[in-house]
Every structure is written in C-alpha cells, then in structure tokens.
Amino acid sequence: MIREVVLVRNKLGLHARAAARLVGLTSKFSSEIHISREGRSEAIDCKSILGILMLAASQGTRLVLSINGRDEVEASRTVQAFFDAGFGEEN
C-alpha cells in the first residue's frame, strides 16, 4: 500500500472538470485508489466523481492518497504527476 500527500495547486481547486479527469485517470488502474483531506479519516473512492466533489478541495488543500493493488506504483506516479501539473490546466 502506498500513502502520499498531494497538494491542490490549481487556482480553481479540484473543480468538476478536474474531478472528471481524475476519475478517468484512476479508472484505468486496477488498484483501489482512495483520497481524503489530510487529518480526516473518511476516504473517498477516486473513481467516484461525486465523492471527489464532496471534498470541496480548494487551492492549497493537502489531500492524502491511499493506493493498494498490483499497479499501485504506476498509479501513484500518474496521480502525483496529475496534481503536480495543476490538472493539466493553466494555474
């Protein structure tokens, strides 16, 4: 299992379009991928757009990714890169 912290860098936060992209990205992996706000215990399935939107993650929010499965290393790298790139949008 991999646990890592990611930072929402995008000035619009983890909004609907970015959430949809995250769901599409994580759905390609067989691993279970969950996300939560740092310091909170509830874990949201990263393959659920409604769950991701309920995080209400604005710019600067620190989120914890938990990834478990046979392709967890690749999934971790891919999701981390997605957050680092500001969801592929201008920041």
Side-chain angles (χ1 to χ4, degrees):
M1 175 183 250
I2 296 174
R3 285 181 55 89
E4 64 184 352
V5 175
V6 292
L7 178 67
V8 177
R9 300 173 189 277
N10 186 297
K11 66 182 175 183
L12 298 176
L14 187 50
H15 56 86
R17 184 174 51 248
R21 288 182 183 157
L22 179 59
V23 169
L25 184 73
T26 57
S27 293
K28 296 177 183 178
F29 297 99
S30 64
S31 292
E32 291 184 17
I33 305 171
H34 291 89
I35 194 166
S36 62
R37 281 181 165 265
E38 190 175 49
R40 296 199 182 158
S41 61
E42 76 276 356
I44 304 297
D45 185 349
C46 268
K47 299 174 185 177
S48 166
I49 192 164
L50 291 178
I52 292 170
L53 290 173
M54 288 178 57
L55 288 170
S58 59
Q59 185 180 34
T61 301
R62 292 170 53 93
L63 302 170
V64 178
L65 283 172
S66 299
I67 307 170
N68 188 25
R70 64 181 171 94
D71 55 359
E72 65 188 23
V73 172
E74 182 183 355
S76 173
R77 288 182 187 146
T78 301
V79 174
Q80 182 72 49
F82 178 70
F83 274 83
D84 288 346
F87 314 133
E89 301 174 350
E90 289 187 31
N91 290 312

